[in-house]
Amino acid sequence: MSDRRPNRFFRNMTAKIAAVPMILTALCVFVGGTVWTIVHSFTDSKLLPRLRWDGLDQYERLWNTNRWIVSIENLLIYGLCSLILSLIIGFVLAALLDQKIRFENTFRTILLYPFALSFIVTGLVWQWLLNPDLGIQSVIRGAGWIGFTFDPLNNSKIVIFGVLIAGLWQGTGLIMVLMLAGLRGIDQEIWKASRVDGIPMWKTYLFIVIPMMRPVFITTLVIIASGIVKLYDLIVAQTSGGPGISSEVPAKYVYDYMFQGQNLGQGFAASTMMLLAVLVVVIPWAYLEFGGKARG
Amino acid sequence: MADRVAALSGPQGPRPRRRFSRRNIIIYGTLAVVAFYYLLPLYVMIVTSLKGMPEIRLGNIFAPPVEITFEPWVKAWAQACTGLNCDGLSRGFWNSVQITVPSVIVSILIASVNGYALANWRFRGADVFFTILIFGAFIPYQVMLYPIVIMLREIGLYGSLWGLVIVHTIFGMPILTLLFRNYFTSLPEELFKAARIDGARFWGIYFRIMLPMSLPIFVVAMILQVTGIWNDFLFGVVYTKPDTYPMTVQLNNIVNTVQGVREYNVNMAATLLTGLVPLVIYFVSGKLFVRGIAAGAVKG
Amino acid sequence: MHSVEIKNLDLHFGAVKVLQDLNLTIARGEFLVLLGSSGCGKSTLLNCIAGLLDVTAGQIFINGANVTWAEPSDRGIGMVFQSYALYPQMTVEGNLSFGLKNARLPRDEIARRVARAAEILQIEPLLKRKPAALSGGQRQRVAIGRALVRDVDVFLFDEPLSNLDAKLRADLRVEIKHLHQQLKNTMIYVTHDQVEAMTLADRIAIMKDGKIMQLGSPHEIYNLPQNRYVADFIGSPSMNFIDGRLESGVFRAAGIDIPMTGYDFRAGAASDGKVVIGLRPEHIATGDALASAAIRTRVKVDIVEPTGSDTLIFAPLGGTSVHVRMDGQTRVNPGDEIEIGILPGRASLFDRDTELRL
């Protein structure tokens, strides 16, 4: 046995080698790729990326493009509605399932199955259901209500809500499951204590259980928010951004400029803006979640 | 028992409960309405795919088919056109199988080894890389799309199935690594220490001790990856060519084509076919699926 | 009028019978402890009394009123839980007053009750803090306070000290006893800790499989266990059991005969047959106490366990190994031969088939 201390670098060498894919992914793709894209968003790259500086021109052009403004508006409307509605619906459904009901598993299975389906499938089904000539609108008109109008996919003012219906159908099951797990994590004796205190159930939920579930709500919020920014497939399948540009979203803007419009610089600038939006949500959360713990 | 009960007077036994109390009507009523809303699209997909086009044009989308026909299914599977190819969704299906199988295997293998190294063989800097990885899960894919195009082109895999396998391995890594790391951390550390004292090394412990104990988490990871990769659209459309398009991309091209008459029954059959694989996994796996998405929710 | 009265109570979860035809009356101001190992139904019984579980059959009376169908909050009870079950987002004051506010009590009445509870429990300096900022003992005091402000006659405790460490448990035990002496409420207290039970209770109900095995004062339970289960359950280290036969008043086992003179047989129970004798380790005489023992024998020491205050030894006797408690100052080594004495008056005899006391 040598009495010299082994070199630090060679300690756990196998573990380090085994972690090479992770290190490469973290450094080359996540850090490297992000930096590369940000750097190239300041160039005038067109068909091919090139490092010819263009200052903030791409961003200026971006914010002067009507389609980008519409995309951002759509994302804000969709994001806000889907955030609030899926939290409320998800929590209410979870609370209903938590009432020691019969057929709980059946209900949960039904509420969650859309989440197993892709956004493409979701978008196409709802495109069909919302078809003005043969879908829900025509059925209700056929039932005698002649003046009934429900045609969101062809009305540029409300098209984003047509997408929202499909998005909620696909995603609320997940929120419900997360909320249900949160509810099940509440100490049963809290419920007993509130019954002995004579507090009605709705008040217990509102003043005791929901405040106790704050971490679950925050995590869920971050999950929904970071998912909303990525909204892409659903739009492609359900509306292709139409009518006109009225249901465009940032992710689609990026794709179209990068791979169809041969205007890479615009794509990079737009995707950098998306990254910025995500950071605005994630950094405060990470600070609260992990920074807070370090302080005790 | 009977004489015992008779001896007591006044309220006794369980509280009287009406079967149709207001509370029950509200709970079950709400759930039934919601369940109906959630099931409706699946029902409409099925009935539409079993009708002929004339019946669709005349009838109501909720009505069950008068005359059941499987022709739309056959057409969707074997004849539907995308661009110049008219061999139906079957091509996309097999592409998706060819993409999903190696992607699932490779991504799970790599992530499980990562998770194991992070949980049991902590080395300097490991936490830094892991934090970057987890943050990576939140970076919009759009930011990394083009750099990866360049990387794949450099190694000559752009447009090939193996290129897509690498992409799925990369983007599956954060969540899977987290999943495995947390699982391995939850195993008793004494087990790992005992194995080390018995002289087992990195791979020995991994294959002989950790793997046999981790079957459930591997199943969870598999469910997560199979549904995730099968349902992927963005990577498929960016990193493959029309010949190798996965099923979702091909489905979208079939349904949203601008040429020709729209055959809604074929479209719905194709949509159902594409959704079938994840649906089957979902209904078969049950609780494990729930566990997977609860863990995988971070993926967003 | 009894404070709490339980008549013919049954509770089934599906096919599992958790409580069976249980009858129990508790006097006003009594401290009753429900004692048993986990799964014996003691917590279930407490939850039935509280109204947190629906009973399958039978009745529950509190202060003479039939409360079988009443809501927990209408039964005139306060309850303290093992996990404290404090509302984490509210201050201590909020925790104490939330139920009262909800019952729409006048504000000055609420303030008066909170102040009184805080004073009794000495938690006045903590009123503005949140539960997370309290120690385990302080939390449990707040939990007791929440029961206190309800101004009720019956307190229910569901293993309130189980989450605390040994020292705090002993301190709070004394405080609860003190509280009972001060308030003179009826208290029903569930625990699996026999020391807690013996020190706190006026009466102990030992439960097993949903039935009460014995109900009596700590003194009765310890000295006159009515069956082998109770005898085995109470006492640490537990009672020694030696199988043998009873033949005209003499207990005979392998290598030892014990004439049971001085043993208080139940009327008509002293018939001959297969029996088991129970001897508490502390009732086997050694040293100076030998003088008072009627029967003496010599045993060879197997194992010695010094605990400081006492020294426990294992020695073979009557075909089994018995535990003997000796004075902590005695010096004994394994292999030594010592003399021990048996006091038939302090022993317990059980029928080997029915396991009931003779």
Side-chain angles (χ1 to χ4, degrees):
Chain A
M1 291 282 149
S2 131
D3 50 358
R4 266 182 55 199
R5 229 174 135 214
N7 189 327
R8 276 205 94 118
F9 182 78
F10 291 105
R11 274 187 62 209
N12 290 353
M13 200 57 209
T14 329
K16 284 176 190 169
I17 292 169
V20 162
M22 176 183 83
I23 296 170
L24 278 182
T25 301
L27 291 185
C28 295
V29 182
F30 292 167
V31 176
T34 306
V35 170
W36 190 95
T37 298
I38 295 173
V39 168
H40 280 80
S41 73
F42 298 105
T43 68
D44 67 349
S45 306
K46 283 282 182 200
L47 179 57
L48 289 172
R50 61 181 171 193
L51 280 171
R52 216 163 67 189
W53 300 111
D54 208 11
L56 287 170
D57 278 15
Q58 294 289 7
Y59 291 93
E60 212 166 287
R61 229 168 287 146
L62 183 69
W63 286 101
N64 282 324
T65 308
N66 190 30
R67 184 177 157 187
W68 175 253
I69 304 291
V70 172
S71 300
I72 293 287
E73 279 172 7
N74 278 336
L75 192 68
L76 284 177
I77 298 171
Y78 178 91
L80 213 63
C81 294
S82 122
L83 207 63
I84 294 169
L85 288 176
S86 56
L87 275 180
I88 294 176
I89 298 172
F91 182 81
V92 170
L93 290 178
L96 287 176
L97 283 188
D98 199 31
Q99 302 303 313
K100 300 197 174 77
I101 57 161
R102 287 212 251 171
F103 313 118
E104 183 196 321
N105 279 334
T106 314
F107 279 119
R108 202 191 51 218
T109 306
I110 291 172
L111 298 184
L112 190 57
Y113 89 89
F115 188 72
L117 295 171
S118 62
F119 276 124
I120 297 293
V121 168
T122 305
L124 294 178
V125 177
W126 281 94
Q127 186 193 61
W128 170 233
L129 279 166
L130 297 176
N131 183 312
D133 303 323
L134 299 164
I136 295 172
Q137 176 176 284
S138 88
V139 171
I140 294 184
R141 280 185 186 173
W145 186 356
I146 306 296
F148 180 80
T149 308
F150 186 62
D151 183 17
L153 298 190
N154 293 309
N155 180 343
S156 59
K157 287 207 180 74
I158 57 168
V159 62
I160 201 68
F161 296 101
V163 179
L164 184 67
I165 293 175
L168 287 177
W169 176 78
Q170 204 259 1
T172 32
L174 168 72
I175 310 305
M176 184 268 298
V177 167
L178 295 175
M179 293 288 170
L180 191 58
L183 284 174
R184 294 274 150 90
I186 301 272
D187 181 3
Q188 281 303 307
E189 293 196 332
I190 287 279
W191 281 105
K192 290 184 180 178
S194 88
R195 271 189 80 188
V196 172
D197 270 350
I199 298 155
M201 185 181 278
W202 67 271
K203 261 192 180 173
T204 311
Y205 271 118
L206 211 58
F207 294 114
I208 299 168
V209 172
I210 291 181
M212 282 177 84
M213 279 175 58
R214 211 185 67 144
V216 179
F217 271 94
I218 293 176
T219 307
T220 312
L221 205 86
V222 171
I223 290 165
I224 305 174
S226 71
I228 288 168
V229 178
K230 293 171 182 169
L231 176 68
Y232 171 69
D233 322 14
L234 188 58
I235 298 282
V236 169
Q238 206 179 351
T239 67
S240 312
I245 56 162
S246 53
S247 63
E248 289 289 344
V249 284
K252 188 159 177 294
Y253 187 96
V254 172
Y255 177 84
D256 288 353
Y257 273 87
M258 269 190 203
F259 298 101
Q260 318 241 280
Q262 280 145 14
N263 192 344
L264 286 176
Q266 268 296 291
F268 295 147
S271 60
T272 306
M273 292 312 302
M274 287 175 68
L275 176 65
L276 208 64
V278 171
L279 291 183
V280 167
V281 178
V282 170
I283 287 182
W285 167 72
Y287 183 77
L288 278 176
E289 189 90 323
F290 305 110
K293 253 178 219 154
R295 275 182 276 112
Chain B
M1 182 93 177
D3 53 325
R4 228 184 75 203
V5 170
L8 303 174
S9 60
Q12 55 181 294
R15 294 186 179 95
R17 282 237 167 80
R18 271 179 307 146
R19 194 133 175 218
F20 296 100
S21 65
R22 224 181 61 181
R23 176 175 173 272
N24 279 357
I25 291 174
I26 292 175
I27 291 176
Y28 288 100
T30 315
L31 283 174
V33 169
V34 174
F36 173 77
Y37 169 77
Y38 273 76
L39 283 174
L40 194 68
L42 185 64
Y43 167 78
V44 169
M45 261 195 280
I46 295 171
V47 293
T48 307
S49 73
L50 296 174
K51 291 177 189 170
M53 267 318 280
E55 197 185 330
I56 289 176
R57 276 194 212 95
L58 295 174
N60 147 349
I61 55 165
F62 301 121
V66 180
E67 223 176 304
I68 292 181
T69 164
F70 289 100
E71 206 190 328
W73 286 74
V74 176
K75 206 166 174 192
W77 178 254
Q79 291 154 26
C81 295
T82 43
L84 297 174
N85 296 322
C86 278
D87 46 8
L89 259 183
S90 55
R91 173 201 293 270
F93 176 84
W94 292 115
N95 283 343
S96 274
V97 171
Q98 278 177 294
I99 293 164
T100 305
V101 172
S103 298
V104 169
I105 295 172
V106 172
S107 64
I108 289 181
L109 274 183
I110 291 184
S112 65
V113 173
N114 280 341
Y116 162 66
L118 286 168
N120 293 320
W121 297 83
R122 277 157 216 228
F123 54 89
R124 254 164 76 99
D127 285 340
V128 177
F129 296 121
F130 182 63
T131 311
I132 297 175
L133 204 66
I134 297 303
F135 261 88
F138 289 101
I139 304 174
Y141 298 145
Q142 282 74 14
V143 176
M144 292 169 285
L145 280 183
Y146 207 85
I148 293 179
V149 168
I150 296 175
M151 286 176 210
L152 291 180
R153 204 181 276 146
E154 288 298 312
I155 53 175
L157 289 176
Y158 182 51
S160 74
L161 284 178
W162 283 103
L164 196 54
V165 170
I166 293 178
V167 172
H168 281 304
T169 305
I170 288 174
F171 286 105
M173 203 181 287
I175 180 57
L176 288 182
T177 306
L178 181 72
L179 189 73
F180 281 108
R181 190 194 77 134
N182 289 353
Y183 183 81
F184 289 133
T185 313
S186 74
L187 293 179
E189 213 191 336
E190 288 75 18
L191 205 74
F192 173 75
K193 287 179 179 162
R196 283 204 75 179
I197 290 168
D198 285 344
R201 297 290 195 77
F202 187 88
W203 295 111
I205 297 175
Y206 176 75
F207 284 109
R208 305 256 283 283
I209 314 237
M210 295 303 182
L211 271 195
M213 287 187 69
S214 320
L215 205 65
I217 204 72
F218 274 87
V219 175
V220 167
M222 234 166 76
I223 293 166
L224 199 67
Q225 282 299 85
V226 172
T227 43
I229 295 171
W230 191 273
N231 286 341
D232 161 69
F233 176 79
L234 181 63
F235 299 140
V237 82
V238 172
Y239 299 110
T240 54
K241 294 180 291 233
D243 276 352
T244 48
Y245 273 162
M247 205 170 181
T248 47
V249 179
Q250 212 196 356
L251 168 72
N252 187 51
N253 289 350
I254 289 175
V255 177
N256 281 329
T257 180
V258 278
Q259 308 143 336
V261 187
R262 284 202 155 198
E263 294 180 290
Y264 297 111
N265 51 356
V266 177
N267 289 351
M268 282 304 114
T271 309
L272 261 177
L273 275 170
T274 311
L276 219 52
V277 170
L279 273 187
V280 167
I281 290 178
Y282 172 70
F283 286 115
V284 171
S285 62
K287 282 234 163 81
L288 283 173
F289 184 90
V290 176
R291 204 171 141 195
I293 59 155
V298 193
K299 197 171 159 191
Chain C
M1 193 166 62
H2 301 295
S3 180
V4 177
E5 194 173 3
I6 292 157
K7 286 185 183 167
N8 305 112
L9 193 73
D10 280 351
L11 183 93
H12 304 169
F13 289 137
V16 186
K17 296 180 176 171
V18 186
L19 299 174
Q20 293 179 60
D21 197 14
L22 202 134
N23 288 284
L24 185 63
T25 47
I26 301 159
R28 192 167 287 254
E30 184 175 357
F31 200 122
L32 181 94
V33 173
L34 300 174
L35 177 66
S37 47
S38 61
C40 72
K42 57 189 192 299
S43 277
T44 312
L45 175 59
L46 196 74
N47 278 304
C48 288
I49 297 172
L52 294 166
L53 281 176
D54 236 7
V55 304
T56 309
Q59 292 178 320
I60 297 167
F61 291 82
I62 294 177
N63 282 334
N66 186 340
V67 295
T68 315
W69 292 348
E71 271 299 303
S73 52
D74 303 331
R75 292 188 174 205
I77 53 144
M79 192 160 176
V80 180
F81 299 92
Q82 179 178 0
S83 66
Y84 323 129
L86 298 178
Y87 311 132
Q89 312 296 329
M90 299 180 191
T91 61
V92 169
E93 194 173 9
N95 267 282
L96 295 182
S97 58
F98 193 54
L100 303 180
K101 277 183 195 151
N102 207 64
R104 295 182 197 283
L105 253 66
R107 199 173 292 179
D108 51 337
E109 172 68 10
I110 295 176
R112 196 186 61 73
R113 288 198 194 177
V114 170
R116 174 172 166 266
E119 195 204 322
I120 292 174
L121 296 163
Q122 294 163 4
I123 50 173
E124 287 129 319
L126 310 177
L127 283 177
K128 299 290 173 208
R129 290 211 214 151
K130 288 203 173 161
L134 303 179
S135 70
Q138 289 170 332
R139 283 181 211 184
Q140 198 49 283
R141 236 171 273 176
V142 175
I144 295 172
R146 193 169 53 186
L148 212 58
V149 292
R150 291 177 55 73
D151 222 2
V152 290
D153 300 323
V154 180
F155 276 24
L156 308 177
F157 292 88
D158 193 357
E159 306 220 18
L161 306 182
S162 297
N163 279 6
L164 302 171
D165 63 54
K167 176 152 172 24
L168 257 177
R169 205 152 58 208
D171 293 348
L172 264 162
R173 204 170 66 206
V174 176
E175 278 186 42
I176 289 175
K177 188 155 193 166
H178 187 73
L179 192 71
H180 179 239
Q181 284 166 359
Q182 191 181 351
L183 299 174
K184 300 190 169 55
N185 289 31
T186 308
M187 295 193 173
I188 306 177
Y189 188 106
V190 166
T191 184
H192 62 261
D193 180 339
Q194 49 169 303
V195 179
E196 255 171 48
M198 297 294 279
T199 50
L200 288 171
D202 293 328
R203 279 196 303 165
I204 298 175
I206 296 190
M207 293 184 64
K208 184 196 174 200
D209 299 335
K211 290 185 200 129
I212 293 177
M213 302 303 285
Q214 185 172 356
L215 176 65
S217 69
H219 187 266
E220 282 166 6
I221 297 263
Y222 178 78
N223 290 299
L224 300 168
Q226 292 306 302
N227 51 56
R228 190 175 164 166
Y229 178 80
V230 172
D232 196 21
F233 191 82
I234 290 287
S236 171
S238 54
M239 191 182 263
N240 300 299
F241 293 103
I242 303 169
D243 286 344
R245 293 188 61 81
L246 190 65
E247 285 167 15
S248 42
V250 179
F251 173 83
R252 293 182 198 280
I256 186 167
D257 286 356
I258 308 174
M260 298 304 290
T261 34
Y263 182 81
D264 193 9
F265 279 101
R266 287 182 168 205
S271 55
D272 292 358
K274 287 202 274 182
V275 297
V276 54
I277 193 169
L279 304 167
R280 292 206 181 276
E282 53 272 34
H283 293 164
I284 297 176
T286 56
D288 300 339
L290 273 172
S292 60
I295 301 115
R296 294 185 210 169
T297 179
R298 296 191 74 79
V299 292
K300 201 172 156 208
V301 176
D302 247 351
I303 289 171
V304 178
E305 291 181 333
T307 66
S309 58
D310 304 314
T311 296
L312 302 171
I313 62 162
F314 273 109
L317 179 71
T320 176
S321 180
V322 297
H323 230 147
V324 180
R325 174 176 280 168
M326 302 176 72
D327 185 59
Q329 303 306 317
T330 328
R331 298 213 164 262
V332 202
N333 291 310
D336 290 357
E337 231 180 53
I338 59 163
E339 189 167 35
I340 59 168
I342 290 161
L343 305 101
R346 290 221 164 161
S348 298
L349 275 179
F350 303 101
D351 184 300
R352 230 192 292 171
D353 297 323
T354 64
E355 304 210 326
L356 292 176
R357 186 181 185 86
L358 294 175

